[in-house]
Amino acid sequence: MLIVMIPDATESQVHGVVQKIESIGLRAHPSRGINRTVIGIIGNLEPIDPSPFTDLPGVAECVRITKPYKLVGRELKHDKTVIRIGKAEIGGDEAAIIAGVCAVESREQTMLTAQIVAEAGCRWFRGGAFKPRTSPYAFQGLGEEGLKILSDVRDQFGLRIVTEAVDEAALDLCERYADVIQIGTRNMQNFSLLKRAGQARTPILLKRGMSATLEEFLLAAEYIMVEGNCQVILCERGVRTFGNHARFTPDLSIIPMAQHLSHLPIIFDPSHSTGRRETVIPMARAGVAAGADGLLVDVHPCPERALCDGPQALFFDLFRKMVDEVRAIDRIIKDRHEIFGGALGQSNSPTSVYETAIL
Ligand code: PEP
Ligand code: MN
């Protein structure tokens, strides 16, 4: 349930409602919007009786949250979440380009790639130090040594680091080095890892399970948020279908749908979703045209010799071309926002759904 406060509710009125919620063993999640505060009640298994709250000072009304996910949904927070680290943003005015190596293989390979990514004007660098590989005989990543190389990338180029934690022990280490911690497709429903990610204070990039529905995806994000980490970025990375012309099938329709249901940013990975260099740029263009808040892209100085996912890695010149093209598309989308409308044609006004409903 959602308790909507009157527009000029005082801090002590908000506090009074929070105390009332906690006194009956539930958790309060206040969200301060531009015009008013709303307080989400979470932790209940049964529907909540609104009567103890309706007459509290400052309460405008109590609204049932209809979706199974509470914190992730637009019912509780309509304004889009923007992840900000210094000047780097995901979910802000421009599509974020997170580019780099699939796996950190060596200092030289990583630094060469980081230089190209920085020169292209990108602010984010990806690189796996812990790799979830299908075969136990495949390269598993350099571990902490790889994280140290990534940390040097940040120092040298000012790029913000996105790296994957494959388990809780890796997450403990990633917290010390990374700006954003990735949870991969194979771990989207690793609930103990999601809970641990929720206890971190580092933003989490959550990739969609390769056969997960949107609801399962959003509930996985809810696992992270309910533990207290509200900085979650969703990532579409392709799903399994009967099509075998590509590694997976990019499901771009999830982008506007996720934006309709959730305030969290959603980015798109054209590399892992197609697995083929030839299709990465066209799909990257399509992802941004569909409104993705950013891209996650593999680049390699010499893809033929890559230890991981070489066939999908862009050569440096292709990467520069992709950046130019997607930026041009992104500008058109943002300039024409008024004409196109927001996700699913909604207006992108900061007015919240409940305000629209109430006023
Ligand atoms: C990755 O981004 O390096 C990765 C392993 O992706 P996914 O979990 O989507 O396969
Ligand atoms: Mn990869």
Side-chain angles (χ1 to χ4, degrees):
M1 192 164 63
L2 203 59
I3 300 188
V4 182
M5 303 300 288
I6 55 175
D8 48 4
T10 63
E11 263 311 305
S12 83
Q13 288 173 331
V14 172
H15 186 65
V17 174
V18 168
Q19 274 191 324
K20 181 77 189 172
I21 294 168
E22 289 174 353
S23 73
I24 53 174
L26 296 170
R27 284 167 64 185
H29 192 278
S31 170
R32 288 170 175 81
I34 300 169
N35 298 317
R36 62 170 91 212
T37 295
V38 297
I39 305 168
I41 303 182
I42 49 179
N44 54 303
L45 297 173
E46 303 289 322
I48 296 170
D49 170 16
S51 55
F53 306 104
T54 40
D55 292 332
L56 290 179
V59 171
E61 74 165 328
C62 301
V63 184
R64 286 274 309 280
I65 297 185
T66 54
K67 300 286 191 295
Y69 39 85
K70 313 290 177 196
L71 304 176
V72 163
R74 289 243 188 206
E75 285 172 296
L76 175 64
K77 177 175 182 286
H78 188 257
D79 301 345
K80 213 169 153 175
T81 292
V82 181
I83 308 297
R84 267 190 203 94
I85 302 173
K87 289 192 181 135
E89 280 187 355
I90 302 173
D93 294 339
E94 286 173 15
I97 299 176
I98 307 170
V101 293
C102 174
V104 176
E105 299 166 13
S106 69
R107 179 171 294 275
E108 193 196 5
Q109 165 246 16
T110 308
M111 288 293 170
L112 276 173
T113 309
Q115 179 159 2
I116 300 303
V117 171
E119 281 172 6
C122 304
R123 297 191 187 276
W124 300 90
F125 189 77
R126 63 149 290 149
F130 298 94
K131 295 304 303 175
R133 302 305 299 276
T134 303
S135 163
Y137 305 116
F139 176 59
Q140 305 282 313
L142 296 180
E144 190 166 8
E145 188 193 333
L147 294 177
K148 287 183 180 156
I149 296 173
L150 290 170
S151 195
D152 292 346
V153 163
R154 178 178 38 230
D155 292 347
Q156 196 163 325
F157 299 102
L159 293 165
R160 297 295 174 171
I161 304 301
V162 180
T163 196
E164 176 164 356
V166 288
D167 53 28
E168 280 99 319
L171 203 145
D172 291 344
L173 273 174
C174 290
E175 254 184 321
R176 306 221 297 262
Y177 295 94
D179 295 298
V180 171
I181 299 174
Q182 177 172 318
I183 294 192
T185 190
R186 294 158 187 85
N187 270 321
M188 191 206 81
Q189 285 189 318
N190 178 341
F191 300 117
S192 56
L193 184 60
L194 296 177
K195 286 182 187 167
R196 172 65 186 83
Q199 287 147 15
R201 287 295 157 264
T202 310
I204 304 295
L205 174 66
L206 178 66
K207 297 190 92 172
R208 179 185 181 186
M210 60 182 83
S211 61
T213 62
L214 176 54
E215 187 167 298
E216 288 163 342
F217 192 15
L218 295 179
L219 282 168
E222 185 86 6
Y223 262 92
I224 300 169
M225 289 189 71
V226 79
E227 293 292 326
N229 189 348
C230 296
Q231 304 208 81
V232 181
I233 304 140
L234 305 170
C235 178
E236 160 59 22
R237 51 80 66 213
V239 288
R240 273 269 150 81
T241 66
F242 54 82
N244 58 3
H245 54 281
R247 195 175 174 192
F248 294 92
T249 301
D251 177 14
L252 295 179
S253 67
I254 203 170
I255 293 169
M257 204 58 211
Q259 289 168 338
H260 177 62
L261 295 173
S262 173
H263 53 84
L264 296 175
I266 177 162
I267 66 167
F268 170 57
D269 178 343
S271 307
H272 290 84
S273 60
T274 65
R276 297 175 64 122
R277 184 172 311 114
E278 305 85 313
T279 46
V280 168
I281 296 185
M283 293 318 296
R285 293 193 297 240
V288 170
D293 294 296
L295 297 171
L296 183 70
V297 188
D298 282 4
V299 188
H300 198 286
C302 184
E304 306 86 325
R305 292 220 299 269
L307 297 181
C308 187
D309 289 349
Q312 71 195 30
L314 293 179
F315 297 108
F316 289 165
D317 57 342
L318 285 180
F319 170 66
R320 292 188 196 99
K321 175 173 144 61
M322 186 208 77
V323 171
D324 288 348
E325 293 183 1
V326 299
R327 282 205 179 122
I329 292 170
D330 191 39
R331 270 195 298 275
I332 294 171
I333 296 292
K334 303 287 157 61
D335 289 352
R336 301 292 167 90
H337 201 85
E338 301 283 292
I339 300 170
F340 293 156
L344 300 188
Q346 291 168 333
S347 128
N348 206 26
S349 110
T351 317
S352 61
V353 226
Y354 16 94
E355 277 170 10
T356 315
I358 294 162
L359 300 175

